Amino acid sequence: MRAENLRAIATLARTFDVPVRLSDHGADGFALPLAIALGATLYERHVMLHANDQAIDAPVSSTAHGPGGLRAGGGADCRARHGRERRRASQSSGPTAFRAAVRSCERALHAGRRITPADIIALRPGSGLPADRELDLIGRVLPRDVPAGAPFLEGDLVVQHQGASRVA
């Protein structure tokens, strides 16, 4: 397979601050989404009306429906999926969308069990005890039953002291 040097698209756009195009002479048309992802704003590809055309550029051409064929709107789809440089939680995601929380592993844990590293895992999305409190759990005795995969809660950090309790 011949390298098409698509990384040059971003370099050209950055260096000259101009729209960059790709004149695609690849055999399969696969370069389109890659070129768009790298910043190309214009795309050129040879298109044949019929798959059995014997034109000199047939090996690097597409038909509207054949292998390597282009789909109208493909560029807009690629740009939309490319997204932005910064991630933001959507309104529906809520405040825990990117926060990990500590959960019990694949088995239920019973009250009175001393928690070991093998009992916990940090997963997203997070609800319950934040993942940065994971070390606070290790060695604690569980005050309640925790179902498999369930989040640990702030109350699981309660320390029992001669009839009184406090959160560590």
Side-chain angles (χ1 to χ4, degrees):
M1 175 177 290
R2 181 178 67 87
E4 295 182 58
N5 203 21
L6 296 176
R7 288 181 189 232
I9 292 169
T11 303
L12 290 168
R14 186 176 51 253
T15 303
F16 298 106
D17 195 27
V18 295
V20 177
R21 77 176 194 140
L22 173 66
S23 179
D24 187 359
H25 290 90
D28 58 8
F30 185 70
L32 173 60
L34 298 172
I36 291 169
L38 291 166
T41 56
L42 303 166
Y43 180 80
E44 173 201 337
R45 180 147 179 95
H46 296 232
V47 178
M48 302 183 300
L49 295 178
H50 306 288
N52 58 358
D53 278 350
Q54 298 300 312
I56 195 167
D57 59 356
V60 295
S61 299
S62 295
T63 63
H65 304 290
L70 305 177
R71 188 172 63 77
D77 286 350
C78 289
R79 281 187 293 279
R81 291 174 191 225
H82 197 232
R84 295 176 172 76
E85 288 183 32
R86 300 190 94 143
R87 291 191 60 166
R88 283 182 257 145
S90 66
Q91 296 236 336
S92 63
S93 298
T96 62
F98 298 112
R99 186 184 76 159
V102 185
R103 297 179 173 269
S104 67
C105 280
E106 53 208 37
R107 64 184 174 284
L109 304 175
H110 299 290
R113 178 184 177 88
R114 187 166 304 276
I115 301 172
T116 69
D119 294 327
I120 59 179
I121 189 167
L123 299 172
R124 287 185 290 193
S127 62
L129 195 64
D132 62 359
R133 305 283 313 268
E134 178 178 4
L135 294 177
D136 296 340
L137 278 171
I138 297 172
R140 300 259 182 203
V141 175
L142 271 176
R144 67 182 178 100
D145 288 342
V146 179
F152 287 96
L153 306 173
E154 192 72 29
D156 296 328
L157 295 175
V158 171
V159 178
Q160 300 292 330
H161 285 289
Q162 300 160 346
S165 62
R166 65 177 180 83
V167 175

